[in-house]
Amino acid sequence: NRIIENMEKIKFFNSIAEAGLAKNLLKEYGIESSVQRRGVEFPGDMGDSYGADLFVAEKDIEKAKQILEIPAA
């Protein structure tokens, strides 16, 4: 995925829904992000079995972490 190649993972979420909420919150602040599911999908899989990673551009990492209240590394 070309978009994710230019981004850094900032958080793992236990569900796609949680990652989607975080993505929408960041969008409200003007930060583009991308959600990537973990695991292998299969027919009937809702995508929450393995969770998802949230990625943002390197320039937005600190702001995104503040918005999502992720402790600094």
Side-chain angles (χ1 to χ4, degrees), residues 50-67:
Y50 305 102
D53 294 315
L54 180 68
F55 292 79
V56 299
E58 188 173 333
K59 68 180 178 62
D60 295 323
I61 289 174
E62 292 308 314
K63 185 176 177 184
K65 285 183 174 184
Q66 288 174 352
I67 293 165

Side-chain angles (χ1 to χ4, degrees), residues 3-18:
I3 294 171
I4 291 178
E5 284 178 12
N6 299 319
M7 299 178 138
E8 298 283 331
K9 182 179 88 170
I10 63 165
K11 186 166 173 79
F12 167 76
F13 291 89
N14 289 319
S15 73
I16 299 297
E18 283 181 294

Side-chain angles (χ1 to χ4, degrees), residues 23-46:
K23 179 178 177 165
N24 288 338
L25 179 60
L26 292 177
K27 188 173 184 176
E28 288 180 24
Y29 284 89
I31 297 175
E32 290 298 318
S33 60
S34 183
V35 173
Q36 182 175 14
R37 293 177 184 204
R38 285 194 178 181
V40 178
E41 294 181 49
F42 53 90
D45 182 12
M46 297 303 289

